[in-house]
């Protein structure tokens, strides 16, 4: 999306704002990031909705319902770890899990692990501290 940053710089320069100054650079950065984050969130919401149409909460309940006790919590936490979702999408999934009748402990295991532990942070931890500490 460098083209957008360049386009915004040209537009702001045409409006008389010096983008090399601190104020102009800040305005350009702010507008660029707002547009970029909005586009990314819209795409994320679209893909989450698409995935949820194939994996309704009832299907997740069927998968997670086979396990009980600590095994269900571990599986739910692992499911939350491998999903590339932030808390923006974890909360609707959490609500779907609770509406599907999954136990509250299992849904909380998913909710806590999903935004906090993802594959990116796991790979980063493994590269810095090693596999044993990361796991």
């Amino acid at each position: 999306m460098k083209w957008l940053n360049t386009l915004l710089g040209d537009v702001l320069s045409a409006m008389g704002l010096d983008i090399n100054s601190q104020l102009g650079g800040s305005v350009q950065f702010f507008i660029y990031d707002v547009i970029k984050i909005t586009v990314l969130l819209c795409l994320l919401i679209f893909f989450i909705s698409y995935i949820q149409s194939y994996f309704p909460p009832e299907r997740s309940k069927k998968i997670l319902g086979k396990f009980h006790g600590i095994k269900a919590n571990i599986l739910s936490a692992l499911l939350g770890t491998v999903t590339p979702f932030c808390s923006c999408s974890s909360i609707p999934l959490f609500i779907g899990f609770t509406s599907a009748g999954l136990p509250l402990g299992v849904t909380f295991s998913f909710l806590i692990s999903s935004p906090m532990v993802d594959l990116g942070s796991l790979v980063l931890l493994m590269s810095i501290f090693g596999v044993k500490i990361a796991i």
Side-chain angles (χ1 to χ4, degrees):
M1 294 183 69
K2 274 191 180 245
W3 61 270
L4 179 63
N5 197 20
T6 306
L7 178 68
L8 283 172
D10 294 342
V11 169
L12 290 174
S13 294
M15 292 174 56
L17 190 63
D18 180 21
I19 60 170
N20 293 323
S21 70
Q22 209 171 22
L23 177 66
S26 298
V27 169
Q28 180 184 9
F29 175 76
F30 177 76
I31 294 172
Y32 170 70
D33 267 7
V34 165
I35 293 171
K36 180 176 69 171
I37 290 171
T38 302
V39 167
L40 291 174
L41 277 176
C42 288
L43 287 172
L44 178 72
I45 290 169
F46 173 76
F47 286 119
I48 295 277
S49 300
Y50 188 74
I51 290 170
Q52 282 182 336
S53 68
Y54 284 104
F55 292 103
E58 291 80 20
R59 187 172 184 185
S60 302
K61 179 186 177 188
K62 185 178 175 184
I63 293 169
L64 290 174
K66 296 176 184 177
F67 300 94
H68 300 288
I70 193 74
K71 289 181 183 178
N73 286 345
I74 291 172
L75 182 65
S76 181
L78 288 174
L79 180 65
T81 301
V82 297
T83 55
F85 307 133
C86 63
S87 58
C88 305
S89 56
S90 295
I91 292 176
L93 285 170
F94 171 76
I95 292 170
F97 286 167
T98 55
S99 67
L102 282 172
L104 198 57
V106 173
T107 56
F108 269 115
S109 295
F110 174 82
L111 182 66
I112 291 170
S113 70
S114 181
M116 291 183 160
V117 183
D118 59 355
L119 290 176
S121 61
L122 187 62
V123 169
L124 183 66
L125 280 174
M126 286 170 48
S127 67
I128 294 173
F129 298 110
V131 176
K132 185 177 179 182
I133 292 178
I135 289 175

